[in-house]
Amino acid sequence: MKLFETATCSSLPQVSPDLSRDIRCSEKTPQAHRALFARLDALHLMETGGEMPMAHPLADRITVMAWNLQRCLYPEQSADLLRPHAPDVILLSEMDIGMARTHQRHTVRALADSLGMRYAFGVEFFELGLGNDLERRLAADDHNDCGWHGNALLCRQEPDALALIRLDESGLWFCPEDGLVSDSVFKQPRVGGRCAIAAILPSEAGGICVASVHLESLDDPSIRLSQLERLIAALDAFAPGLPTLIGGDLNTAFTPEDGRAREEPLFRAAERHGFSWANNAKGTTTRRSLLTYKPRPPKKLDWLCARGLVPIEASIIPAIEASGKALSDHEVILGCYALPKPRRGEEQDD
């Protein structure tokens, strides 16, 4: 598995009938999954599109929002929630393209177009089913047009570079016996693995690297630690020496706020690499939604961490539209950062 890939396309290639048949008939082993993973072209590409970006680079600060949109059932209403905060970058996870449960919509494009932003999307999983019981009730069709589920990055500047960073290919969600023994795995058969989308954005002081990531929700914290370490290694190779921000759903079981950070070692691992968790508002980031089976204790799963950027402010924005409807089972997190000042002699003319 490559550390990162940079190929882009305007529309992800569909899975052929032959490959779809091979996937469904395949043995459920890590070896078989790796072979299928290699054959799925869409797992090695980023789809890009959206509105034409702003021509000027970032100036003295950047506003970043991160949101696990839980399939993105309501792109337009979600855009209405985000728009007043005028984000420069939005880091998204759990976005659907061509899924029956979200009415076969391209949710990433719909959200980006509503906000007038560019997007880059990477597939986490090719979904073999229609989702859980609640999601099946929302589906008007008995099939997925595409079956793509993954992460996205929206921005207002044209990126100088993009990278798709794959965090595992072993098939944790494909191999129930060898992967994750959980009801969720049996209800959501899928090919693929967790990933991140990274972009280098132009600023008056040079490039700024931002990354949208979704870490593993199941198993023990060592899986997330390994994924974060791989992500940082990839970012160091993709954007060496640049100020870097990572954000998204880290699925942390324990947090520094409850005094149990040692049980989720990714926090200290990031700090060893020079990242800071200082710009995260206190409070939990999950809520009950339309797709939530039963009430669960609120958790803090969503985080921003940065290196080479100065924190200004942070907040947690309830994922509730004007009518009171929940748009996701995750709140939106927001962080503002001061950018490095241009080095002497590199200031741009007006």
Side-chain angles (χ1 to χ4, degrees), residues 10-197:
S10 59
S11 181
L12 291 169
Q14 296 274 35
V15 178
S16 70
D18 287 345
L19 179 52
S20 181
R21 183 189 62 247
D22 290 349
I23 290 171
R24 296 180 188 280
C25 296
S26 171
E27 293 182 329
K28 300 300 187 288
T29 65
Q31 295 77 16
H33 182 269
R34 288 189 179 93
L36 295 170
F37 189 101
R39 292 174 61 189
L40 263 167
D41 292 339
L43 293 178
H44 307 280
L45 293 167
M46 291 169 286
E47 181 178 309
T48 60
E51 298 294 317
M52 291 301 294
M54 299 170 65
H56 60 77
L58 294 165
D60 58 348
R61 62 184 285 165
I62 184 172
T63 298
V64 179
M65 303 178 82
W67 196 5
N68 178 326
L69 254 168
Q70 196 189 22
R71 318 333 185 191
C72 194
L73 287 168
Y74 312 106
E76 289 76 22
Q77 294 94 323
S78 298
D80 290 342
L81 181 66
L82 298 170
R83 189 177 296 107
H85 302 279
D88 300 294
V89 176
I90 305 173
L91 311 175
L92 301 168
S93 49
E94 291 198 16
M95 302 294 288
D96 278 358
I97 297 178
M99 291 286 296
R101 64 195 178 194
T102 41
H103 312 293
Q104 311 293 4
R105 295 192 70 183
H106 193 309
T107 65
V108 181
R109 183 183 298 143
L111 184 65
D113 286 351
S114 293
L115 293 167
M117 300 179 78
R118 295 289 286 171
Y119 75 82
F121 172 81
V123 176
E124 271 197 331
F125 298 107
F126 171 51
E127 301 283 350
L128 304 179
L130 300 182
N132 62 36
D133 296 339
L134 292 175
E135 291 167 338
R136 287 172 180 269
R137 296 174 190 173
L138 297 174
D141 300 322
D142 61 359
H143 68 282
N144 298 320
D145 284 351
C146 301
W148 304 137
H149 182 65
N151 303 331
L153 186 152
L154 274 56
C155 54
R156 298 195 183 281
Q157 278 75 25
E158 183 69 36
D160 291 334
L162 290 166
L164 171 63
I165 302 168
R166 303 230 64 100
L167 303 179
D168 76 76
E169 63 176 359
S170 59
L172 294 175
W173 288 79
F174 187 71
C175 317
E177 299 302 322
D178 297 295
L180 303 169
V181 180
S182 165
D183 287 343
S184 296
V185 176
F186 290 99
K187 291 176 180 177
Q188 291 180 268
R190 49 200 356 193
V191 176
R194 303 299 181 182
C195 71
I197 301 292

Side-chain angles (χ1 to χ4, degrees), residues 63 133 152 159 198 239 248-249 283 294 324 336:
T63 298
D133 296 339
D249 179 3
K294 57 184 178 180
C336 295

